[in-house]
Amino acid sequence: MSLSRVLTRAALGVQAPLVTVEVHISNGLPALTLVGLPETTVKEARERVRSAIINSGFVFPAKRVTINLGPADLPKEGGRYDLPIAIAILAASEQLPDAKLAQYEFLGELTLNGSLCGVQAAIPAAMAALHAGRQMILSEQNQQDVGLIREGVTLVGKHLLEICAFLHNQTELTVAQYQPEAINKETQDLSDIIGQEQGRRALEITAAGGHNLLLLGPPGTGKTMLATRLPGIMPPLSDQEALECAAISSLVSSGNIHRQWRKRPFRAPHHSTSLYALIGGGSLPRPGEISLAHNGVLFLDELPEFERKVLDSLREPIESGEIAISRTRAKVTYPARFQLIAAMNPSPTGHYQGTHNRCTPQQILRYLSRLSGPFLDRFDLSLEIPLLPNGTLSQKQQRSESSADVLQRVLEARQRQINRSGKVNAHLSNADIQRWCELLQDDAKWLEEVLNSLGLSVRAWQRILKVARTIADLAGETQITRLHLQEAVGYRSIDRLMIFLHKSLE
């Protein structure tokens, strides 16, 4: 036959739309035409495929070869189409039987000698193929990654000849399986932190309720150390969550996704990070740091040093748990359900009072004004991490509570939340808050007075209730009491700092 049809998958966000590779061979001067909105990397497949076919012992047809990648309005990029193009050319030139082609989808980049290379976004493509009732055939370099998919069967090969022998029923391909490697159990533990009991308590509440946390304090007080200990006291990823994280990671790398299997993502971009690097972007949008931190932690150190527009771009993803990126050529939605942990100094010098302070209240307010009020409202807790009291370091240090002990309480609190509302407290809706965070009349009046005195918004009121609900869950209590509210209000350090500075100017 002179016409063949092979199926493959494109990469468009976490989706993998079906692409049909059609090859038609006709009489005429030898030429190869590639159509279907291919990018430069796809157009270069002509030379790679030609060399791979010849060096694998096949004959490249000396005729007019037309290759169509459909649908024609879907942009195609990368070397992922090399293998399906080669298979389609061999089938159209009757060097391969086409009887089995409809059962499989092909994905992989070819070297000049016909060897298969791994590609990015292999996990979404393999999952989409399995859901369509077909098996994906790709490079052995992607085996560990696609082996994370527990349902269905995905096949892998090393060389174009191996794939062709399989289609000729001469051999069998290897089934992709995840082969666990030795896991390094050495983790950062909460017991390494000296003092800072209130910071440890805030970290436990953050982990239990899935809240956002702002750490405020002078340099060297342990803000970054506290933030890096958060993943160690968060519940392990479920199979679904782990697969979501692996699928997103596969969009930017390949071959080593399995090494992070079931580990909570922890992303800590530098404060010079651009808007598009943080939220994602590009002509064909790629995931940014907030999507790579999905189901994990996004840590922003030196918060005021980030550009204001970069920080304000996080406001909508924090609320919705996803980011929609619209470009001329495509619109992509990435998941972005992360916990935001930030650390900052209270002034340009790192201090706002005491002998170390060399800034006026006006300078401190100007420094803090780099952060917008609506952005600061997205933090459920803000806590000052002070310098250690004199004499603390000279005393013999007693080993404090370990991450494993704290994790046990976090797991129990989370289970109470799931049993009650089916979600963690940080994700409660307005209706959920009215139902599960009901207060006694006197406590409700007291909280409203506090909000008025601090000048807080309704959003801040909701976040205080969510934090109080988490504190009650950690204590194993069903009713939110005044003590829980007082502790939740205590985690509003940034609001009290702003009031202090404004009074200093009066």
Side-chain angles (χ1 to χ4, degrees), residues 277-294:
L278 191 66
I279 68 171
S283 56
L284 281 178
R286 307 297 295 275
E289 291 291 336
I290 63 173
S291 296
L292 295 172
H294 180 62

Side-chain angles (χ1 to χ4, degrees), residues 352-501:
Y352 65 90
Q353 58 185 354
T355 58
H356 297 284
N357 183 35
R358 303 190 303 275
C359 293
T360 63
Q362 293 91 335
Q363 291 174 313
I364 297 176
L365 279 174
R366 192 179 306 117
Y367 176 76
L368 296 178
S369 66
R370 299 179 185 179
L371 308 174
S372 68
F375 173 71
L376 290 176
D377 261 354
R378 264 62 179 188
F379 288 99
D380 303 328
L381 304 92
S382 62
L383 178 68
E384 181 181 358
I385 306 298
L387 293 168
L388 293 176
N390 293 333
T392 301
L393 298 178
S394 60
Q395 297 176 357
K396 184 178 180 180
Q397 302 297 325
Q398 295 182 351
R399 188 171 179 83
S400 56
E401 199 172 24
S402 68
S403 293
D405 296 332
V406 177
L407 176 60
Q408 187 58 42
R409 293 198 297 270
V410 168
L411 291 174
E412 293 174 359
R414 283 232 178 177
Q415 191 58 52
R416 294 187 185 99
Q417 297 168 43
I418 299 301
N419 293 341
R420 179 178 58 243
S421 60
K423 63 185 78 172
V424 295
N425 291 331
H427 301 161
L428 293 177
S429 64
N430 294 339
D432 293 329
I433 292 174
Q434 294 179 4
R435 181 178 181 184
W436 304 116
C437 302
E438 188 176 0
L439 302 179
L440 298 177
Q441 187 63 28
D442 291 342
D443 294 340
K445 290 181 179 179
W446 175 85
L447 180 57
E448 186 174 2
E449 293 173 357
V450 171
L451 291 174
N452 292 333
S453 63
L454 294 178
L456 299 181
S457 65
V458 175
R459 180 184 288 116
W461 170 73
Q462 292 176 334
R463 293 186 181 278
I464 289 174
L465 289 177
K466 292 177 184 179
V467 173
R469 179 68 268 172
T470 301
I471 295 172
D473 290 332
L474 284 168
E477 300 181 14
T478 57
Q479 176 66 46
I480 298 176
T481 66
R482 180 75 62 89
L483 290 176
H484 304 144
L485 292 172
Q486 289 173 341
E487 184 176 0
V489 171
Y491 297 118
R492 306 295 303 186
S493 295
I494 189 66
D495 302 311
R496 293 194 297 273
L497 174 59
M498 298 298 285
I499 292 175
F500 169 78
L501 292 173

Side-chain angles (χ1 to χ4, degrees), residues 53-372:
I53 288 177
I54 294 174
N55 290 324
S56 298
F58 296 100
V59 177
F60 193 87
K63 295 183 178 182
R64 182 176 182 83
V65 179
T66 304
I67 304 172
N68 176 50
L69 305 178
D73 59 345
L74 177 68
K76 290 91 177 175
E77 65 175 1
R80 59 196 300 113
Y81 304 101
D82 291 3
L83 177 60
I85 289 175
I87 296 295
I89 290 176
L90 292 175
S93 59
E94 299 184 349
Q95 298 179 74
L96 271 183
D98 65 338
K100 298 173 63 175
L101 294 183
Q103 306 173 31
Y104 303 100
E105 296 180 11
F106 301 85
L107 192 69
E109 180 180 337
L110 289 172
T111 63
L112 297 185
N113 67 358
S115 297
L116 277 175
C117 299
V119 297
Q120 296 178 352
I123 294 178
M127 291 174 60
L130 292 172
H131 292 162
R134 291 182 288 268
Q135 293 179 342
M136 176 67 72
I137 298 178
L138 38 63
S139 170
E140 190 180 49
Q141 295 179 11
N142 291 121
Q143 176 177 198
Q144 290 282 62
D145 294 344
V146 297
L148 300 174
I149 307 172
R150 304 306 173 90
E151 59 181 42
V153 174
T154 302
L155 304 177
V156 297
K158 299 179 181 179
H159 197 279
L160 176 60
L161 275 175
E162 189 176 352
I163 307 299
C164 293
F166 170 74
L167 295 176
H168 274 292
N169 296 319
Q170 296 174 352
T171 186
E172 293 293 330
L173 292 178
T174 303
V175 176
Q177 293 181 343
Y178 170 53
Q179 301 172 355
E181 299 179 356
I183 299 177
N184 183 8
K185 296 185 178 180
E186 183 179 349
T187 58
Q188 297 173 319
D189 199 278
L190 270 178
S191 59
D192 300 333
I193 298 175
I194 300 174
Q196 305 299 1
E197 294 302 323
Q198 191 175 17
R200 292 164 54 92
R201 170 65 173 172
L203 207 65
E204 180 178 343
I205 296 171
T206 299
H211 302 291
N212 300 326
L213 171 65
L214 173 61
L215 299 173
L216 179 75
T221 55
K223 301 185 297 295
T224 301
M225 181 177 285
L226 280 167
T228 55
R229 268 58 179 177
L230 179 58
I233 60 174
M234 294 174 67
L237 291 170
S238 65
D239 287 343
Q240 180 62 31
E241 290 175 332
L243 197 55
E244 289 176 1
C245 295
I248 297 172
S249 297
S250 72
L251 302 179
V252 295
S253 62
S254 63
N256 60 357
I257 311 301
H258 60 281
R259 296 175 183 171
Q260 301 299 320
W261 181 244
R262 288 196 178 280
K263 291 184 180 179
R264 289 273 177 186
F266 184 88
R267 308 292 298 189
H270 190 259
H271 58 74
S272 62
T273 298
S274 67
L275 173 66
Y276 300 120
L278 191 66
I279 68 171
S283 56
L284 281 178
R286 307 297 295 275
E289 291 291 336
I290 63 173
S291 296
L292 295 172
H294 180 62
N295 290 326
V297 176
L298 178 67
F299 175 52
L300 303 183
D301 203 1
E302 304 296 344
L303 188 65
E305 302 302 328
F306 285 82
E307 292 186 23
R308 182 165 179 166
K309 66 176 183 179
V310 173
L311 295 179
D312 284 342
S313 69
L314 299 178
R315 285 153 51 180
E316 291 182 9
I318 289 174
E319 297 293 336
S320 64
E322 61 182 19
I323 176 71
I325 307 172
S326 297
R327 296 292 181 267
T328 303
R329 298 171 59 199
K331 179 178 180 180
V332 175
T333 300
Y334 286 110
R337 180 70 71 186
F338 57 89
Q339 282 187 247
L340 178 60
I341 310 299
M344 61 177 288
N345 299 325
S347 72
T349 63
H351 304 266
Y352 65 90
Q353 58 185 354
T355 58
H356 297 284
N357 183 35
R358 303 190 303 275
C359 293
T360 63
Q362 293 91 335
Q363 291 174 313
I364 297 176
L365 279 174
R366 192 179 306 117
Y367 176 76
L368 296 178
S369 66
R370 299 179 185 179
L371 308 174
S372 68

